[in-house]
Amino acid sequence: MLFASGIVACSPENAPDRDPALARDHYSFANVEHFVTDHLHLVLRVDFEREVLRGTAILRMRQLDPDAREIVLDTRDLTIESVVVATDPSGPLDTEFELGETDAYLGTPLAIRLPDAAADADAVTVTIYYETSPDSTALGWLPPELTAGGEHPFLFSQSQAIHARSWIPLQDTPAIRINYSARVHTPPELLAVMSADNVPDVERTGVYEFEMPQPIPSYLMAIAAGNLHFAAIGDDTGVYAEPELLEASASEFADTQAMFETAEAMFGPYQWGRYDLLILPPSFPYGGMENPRLSFLTPSLLAGDRSLVSVVAHELAHSWSGNLVTNKTWRDGWLNEGWTSYLEYRLMQVIYDEDRAAEENLLNYEELLLNFERIDPKYQALAPRITELDPESGQGTIAYHKGNLFLQYLEHAYGREIFDQFITDYFSDFAFQVITTEDFVDYLDQRLLSVHHGILTREQVERWMYEPGLPDDAVIPTSRNLDDAAELAAMWSRGEVDAAELPVADWSAQTTIHFINALDPDLSTEKLVEIDRTLGLSDTKNAEIGRTWFIQVAKRRHEPAYEQMAEHLRKFGRVRLIRPIYVALAENGHDMQLARELFDAARGAYHPIANAYIGPVFEDDDAVE
Ligand SMILES: [Zn+2]
């Protein structure tokens, strides 16, 4: 869900200024300086046969500029049937609307011209009758055979970053927050849920009403419908899933209530009512999506041993960083993802233990180093200087892991007691607001740097924001367990220790992952077969171990495991679990054709977002990571 974009320069001399172009959202056509949406009401019919949503969007908008006569909304592949504008008290007015030129990346602006009669109105109501396309980039439409139960179809959305516009005509920018309500019609045997006030024991009627009383940015608009059932985890938490996955899900995520209570104690009150999880079919393209009140999760987390639940800690933490305090533009994405990765790290320390948090921290750091190797330095700043649209650039996971290390750096410098107070103040002072990186640095300066003199300077902070790589004084993660595993990997590779002697029973999933990555690059087929058998790698139930192993299988052309690798690529649709394996095949010098065939065979079961990420692996050498 992360993308970043074109920037100009990032030298420290010209960084910390207030260039207005930096605070502008280059990913939206909406003229939010003239009109802003306060409330959205949706009436939607879920048509599984035609794979479309059909209905009405009613936007209540405030006019900020009295001279403005045109409202521009974002759309993508929407069929607009009619538009009616009404003001209070003059009622419906003659309205003209026009879809503008389509941009392959941004979609199509919908311009609505207001008659002069609307001039004196402070607020206008815009009603749009529309239908989505079966190609909507947000919506995954699954036939019954791609669900766990195999009997009912399934629909789910993924709006971040700029896909909400492909199922709702709206101002698709995180710069503004809206309340929404909705009525959703489904086949009567199915249940619809949204990022709103879901009622766990709601009667299954095929007509569902929703209300989202807290204002949210558009990328948190979310809907799903299918044969969903609910199981409670704790008083405030529960899980929705197909009945076939319900028990396994409730058991895998049984710690959610404890995480919820810990998070409230550490970060301040949870402001969203309930916190539930929705387990999606395997084609969900991400690990999780922090849709408020209802995180969407990949079923690839169901490892059977709670070893991958840091993703739940991550999505829950977004209830503070991201959902409560939101990045104003996607250029400030680290305010969402870096903060959330740090809060996830803190939660994992408390819910599990320091060792496990340290292991995950070190693995993330290693992933960050790989990112630095392949990502253009100008995109390695936490806050790249984006002054124009450049959809070709990418930041990988830099916003996550570098942002996390930056906050660990602050914690280390000021001590936990002072920094924890800063955290709760920050979330309370900016609750339900949107901010830029510069707003954050000003606040940090006021509340921490200038209060506790002589610890860190603004310049040290700005180095993280505007310069590539890591500053020299970054705190580098360490993990005793992972160091031991790397040592054993080297010894086993050299034949100094037998596979049977490896203490695998004591290893966490993270330790196994680190061990695999530390194996000697030139191992023989026999050695690889031996380690595969000893650790059960090709048959693992843990999707992250599978990912790590099959990347090595593809890189090393270890053909004895190709069948299981192909099975992994068919089984999962989460981009993180599959894309690097396609890349490794495409790059190993022999298997480009095989990679293409495997992708063609599997892509029908992937989400459009996953296909958009993976497709370029076979088209354009430069796109290969
Ligand atoms: Zn996140």
Side-chain angles (χ1 to χ4, degrees), residues 1 160 288 290 314-315 318 321 336-337 340-341 400:
M1 74 196 88
Q160 197 182 11
E290 63 269 26
H314 182 95
E315 304 313 330
H318 269 305
S321 45
N336 282 15
E337 297 303 345
T340 298
S341 300
Y400 293 72

Side-chain angles (χ1 to χ4, degrees), residues 336-615:
N336 282 15
E337 297 303 345
W339 261 105
T340 298
S341 300
Y342 172 71
L343 300 185
E344 167 198 338
Y345 166 68
R346 294 291 304 273
L347 281 176
M348 293 302 287
Q349 283 183 333
V350 178
I351 302 292
Y352 299 96
D353 56 46
E354 299 268 349
D355 279 352
R356 169 133 175 217
E359 289 170 10
E360 291 180 347
N361 200 30
L362 180 55
L363 289 182
N364 289 338
Y365 171 68
E366 288 178 343
E367 201 172 295
L368 177 64
L369 295 184
L370 292 176
N371 272 248
F372 286 147
E373 275 173 31
R374 66 173 175 79
I375 288 174
D376 189 321
K378 65 186 176 183
Y379 303 125
Q380 293 179 13
L382 273 183
R385 289 183 50 81
I386 299 170
T387 53
E388 57 183 19
L389 176 73
D390 177 7
E392 298 306 315
S393 64
Q395 249 199 331
T397 51
I398 283 175
Y400 293 72
H401 302 323
K402 182 173 172 181
N404 182 355
L405 288 186
F406 166 63
L407 294 161
Q408 291 183 34
Y409 170 79
L410 294 181
E411 180 200 320
H412 184 79
Y414 290 93
R416 199 161 262 196
E417 200 178 322
I418 289 173
F419 193 57
D420 281 0
Q421 186 60 50
F422 174 81
I423 294 176
T424 49
D425 289 348
Y426 169 62
F427 290 131
S428 143
D429 288 344
F430 291 106
F432 298 109
Q433 296 183 39
V434 300
I435 64 169
T436 63
T437 297
E438 286 68 27
D439 295 333
F440 174 80
V441 174
D442 284 349
Y443 181 80
L444 181 71
D445 197 344
Q446 257 171 42
R447 302 299 290 264
L448 212 54
L449 310 188
S450 304
V451 176
H452 304 278
H453 287 287
I455 298 179
L456 291 180
T457 63
R458 189 171 172 123
E459 196 200 346
Q460 280 171 298
V461 167
E462 283 171 349
R463 233 174 262 160
W464 287 85
M465 301 300 131
Y466 306 114
E467 290 184 29
L470 283 180
D472 293 339
D473 56 351
V475 182
I476 305 302
T478 56
S479 158
R480 184 71 187 274
N481 290 350
L482 296 200
D483 288 351
D484 291 350
E487 177 65 25
L488 282 172
M491 290 170 68
W492 175 81
S493 297
R494 293 193 299 261
E496 294 165 16
V497 58
D498 280 344
E501 293 171 60
L502 296 170
V504 289
D506 302 335
W507 283 0
S508 63
Q510 289 69 28
T511 310
T512 304
I513 287 167
H514 195 70
F515 177 88
I516 297 168
N517 284 333
L519 290 171
D520 190 288
D522 299 318
L523 290 176
S524 67
T525 300
E526 291 71 32
K527 289 282 272 184
L528 289 170
V529 168
E530 185 193 354
I531 204 64
D532 185 0
R533 202 179 46 229
T534 310
L535 299 184
L537 298 176
S538 291
D539 300 322
T540 180
K541 276 186 73 183
N542 185 301
E544 286 285 334
I545 293 178
R547 167 189 191 265
T548 310
W549 169 240
F550 292 123
I551 290 173
Q552 292 301 319
V553 166
K555 267 191 185 161
R556 297 164 187 260
R557 298 204 77 225
H558 180 56
E559 289 181 312
Y562 268 26
E563 215 176 290
Q564 288 103 322
M565 175 185 71
E567 174 62 27
H568 174 96
L569 294 172
R570 276 194 300 271
K571 188 170 160 195
F572 298 109
R574 180 180 170 194
V575 177
R576 173 180 165 80
L577 296 179
I578 52 178
R579 187 178 185 278
I581 300 170
Y582 285 115
V583 170
L585 280 174
E587 286 185 337
N588 76 10
H590 299 271
D591 289 326
M592 181 58 121
Q593 184 56 30
L594 172 68
R596 227 180 241 132
E597 286 167 18
L598 290 171
F599 179 55
D600 284 341
R603 65 178 304 164
Y606 295 160
H607 188 275
I609 289 175
N611 288 329
Y613 272 113
I614 299 165

Side-chain angles (χ1 to χ4, degrees), residues 124-372:
V124 293
T125 303
V126 180
T127 304
I128 303 166
Y129 299 88
Y130 73 102
E131 186 172 283
T132 64
S133 152
D135 299 325
S136 163
T137 52
L139 302 178
W141 295 93
L142 301 180
E145 58 270 26
L146 294 179
T147 65
E151 269 180 48
H152 300 280
F154 201 107
L155 160 71
F156 67 87
S157 67
Q158 168 58 39
S159 295
Q160 197 182 11
I162 55 170
H163 300 290
R165 65 191 66 174
S166 81
W167 65 286
I168 309 167
L170 81 178
Q171 296 180 307
D172 196 7
T173 168
I176 63 159
R177 309 180 74 100
I178 53 174
N179 296 109
Y180 80 90
S181 53
R183 172 179 295 171
V184 178
H185 299 261
T186 68
E189 68 277 16
L190 303 184
L191 177 66
V193 289
M194 292 190 82
S195 51
D197 61 342
N198 301 289
V199 179
D201 49 4
V202 70
E203 202 189 331
R204 213 165 269 257
T205 59
V207 185
Y208 304 99
E209 305 272 353
F210 302 94
E211 178 88 42
M212 182 39 139
Q214 289 90 3
I216 58 167
S218 58
Y219 73 88
L220 296 177
M221 295 295 307
I223 187 170
N227 183 27
L228 291 169
H229 289 259
F230 176 83
I233 294 175
D235 289 344
D236 314 286
T237 54
V239 60
Y240 291 87
E242 288 185 76
E244 294 76 11
L245 297 177
L246 196 58
E247 211 183 294
S249 303
S251 150
E252 193 82 33
F253 306 122
D255 296 327
T256 305
Q257 180 70 27
M259 277 187 193
F260 177 91
E261 287 164 13
T262 305
E264 276 208 298
M266 290 170 73
F267 317 138
Y270 178 81
Q271 310 242 20
W272 305 90
R274 292 190 56 81
Y275 179 69
D276 295 316
L277 309 173
L278 170 66
I279 311 309
L280 292 162
S283 64
F284 183 57
Y286 298 117
M289 177 64 210
E290 63 269 26
N291 297 314
R293 293 169 177 244
L294 184 67
S295 290
F296 284 22
L297 294 177
T298 166
S300 68
L301 304 179
L302 298 172
D305 59 2
R306 303 182 191 174
S307 55
L308 301 178
V309 298
S310 62
V311 174
V312 176
H314 182 95
E315 304 313 330
L316 170 64
H318 269 305
S319 306
W320 287 264
S321 45
N323 299 4
L324 189 62
V325 182
T326 307
N327 54 214
K328 186 170 183 196
T329 75
W330 294 115
R331 169 256 180 184
D332 304 302
W334 78 274
L335 287 171
N336 282 15
E337 297 303 345
W339 261 105
T340 298
S341 300
Y342 172 71
L343 300 185
E344 167 198 338
Y345 166 68
R346 294 291 304 273
L347 281 176
M348 293 302 287
Q349 283 183 333
V350 178
I351 302 292
Y352 299 96
D353 56 46
E354 299 268 349
D355 279 352
R356 169 133 175 217
E359 289 170 10
E360 291 180 347
N361 200 30
L362 180 55
L363 289 182
N364 289 338
Y365 171 68
E366 288 178 343
E367 201 172 295
L368 177 64
L369 295 184
L370 292 176
N371 272 248
F372 286 147

